[in-house]
Amino acid sequence: MNKKRTQIIALIPAKKNSQDLKNKNFKKLNNFSLFELAILAAKKSKFIDKIYLSSDSNEILNRGKKYNINLIKRKKSLSTNSATANSLILDFINHNLKNDNKNYLIVYLQPTSPFRSNSHIDQAIRKLIKKKLRSVLSVNENKNFFKSFKKNKDVLNPFFNDKYVTNNRQNLKKIYSPNGAIYIFYASDFIKNKKLSFIKSGYYLMNRIDSIDIDDKEDYELAKFLSKKYLKIKK
């Protein structure tokens, strides 16, 4: 990076309502809400210059004040269940980054990945810089991909070739899926594509526990159980 290095911006989306788990972003692990865990991870990063918390909830924004970060009151149109990450990010870039310089690096951190730490974030950023990549996303190994089934009424059929179902997993190709924890990309690329694009993207591999993504009550109960041992928080 040059003397006037690229600014690295963390964007944390934390809306009030959620479909499958009520008040999801308010849920706590080890006395910290999910959105606070995302803030703490970003604040401890060695590379992130500014942190933005986007929410339609006054309570979330008020709690965010104590962390001395940038707060964005999200529009109602960007807070519905049908609103996409792409629409939120585009609005963020257009209204919060300087129009004459879109060459910011954005680190998109969803609160639903509580075991993602500042170390994960920094390692992913380092990889992007070292390899001169345009984007990086966090992934974990999808060990059951080739053993998947599709449902047709009351009948299950193998999604792929039938031979995969009983094949030893060690003999199958390794497949990786986004775990939702970290998305890193340049604002200029997003403006060009008008969407998140991870074709030929770099990846950052995370283990199963660190990849836990809280979507519903079962995910949250599992995270609560594991947080006692695996979630270490230092302000």
Side-chain angles (χ1 to χ4, degrees), residues 83-233:
T84 64
N86 287 328
S87 60
L88 174 65
I89 294 167
L90 182 61
D91 185 79
F92 167 74
I93 293 173
N94 287 334
H95 291 92
N96 296 279
L97 302 185
K98 294 180 181 178
N99 292 329
D100 59 343
N101 182 11
K102 291 293 192 298
N103 199 32
Y104 292 87
L105 190 64
I106 297 177
V107 184
Y108 190 71
L109 303 172
Q110 299 183 113
T112 50
S113 299
F115 294 94
R116 167 204 54 223
S117 70
N118 59 297
S119 295
H120 296 133
I121 296 169
D122 286 349
Q123 287 168 21
I125 294 173
R126 283 193 185 100
K127 184 168 187 177
L128 180 140
I129 295 171
K130 184 178 179 180
K131 300 291 185 180
K132 297 181 180 179
L133 301 167
R134 296 301 297 180
S135 61
V136 165
L137 76 160
S138 57
V139 301
N140 66 311
E141 186 180 349
N142 188 335
K143 296 184 177 182
N144 295 312
F145 181 77
F146 286 109
K147 294 176 177 284
S148 301
F149 284 81
K150 55 186 175 181
K151 187 178 75 169
N152 182 9
K153 295 183 179 180
D154 294 326
V155 178
L156 291 178
N157 292 303
F159 197 87
F160 299 99
N161 194 307
D162 188 53
K163 68 179 182 181
Y164 292 136
V165 176
T166 56
N167 207 331
N168 291 334
R169 181 174 54 82
Q170 293 82 356
N171 298 328
L172 300 175
K173 291 181 180 180
K174 288 190 176 182
I175 297 291
Y176 302 94
S177 299
N179 63 8
I182 304 170
Y183 298 87
I184 308 176
F185 53 93
Y186 282 93
S188 56
D189 292 342
F190 188 93
I191 289 295
K192 180 181 178 180
N193 298 313
K194 295 294 186 293
K195 63 179 181 179
L196 290 169
S197 178
F198 292 96
I199 297 174
K200 295 183 179 179
S201 173
Y203 68 92
Y204 176 68
L205 182 61
M206 295 171 64
N207 65 38
R208 290 175 66 184
I209 292 176
D210 293 337
S211 294
I212 289 174
D213 184 31
I214 298 177
D215 282 328
D216 53 34
K217 185 177 180 180
E218 289 182 352
D219 294 333
Y220 178 54
E221 293 300 325
L222 175 61
K224 278 202 298 184
F225 176 77
L226 293 173
S227 66
K228 298 171 185 177
K229 181 177 181 180
Y230 294 102
L231 187 59
K232 309 299 180 185
I233 306 170

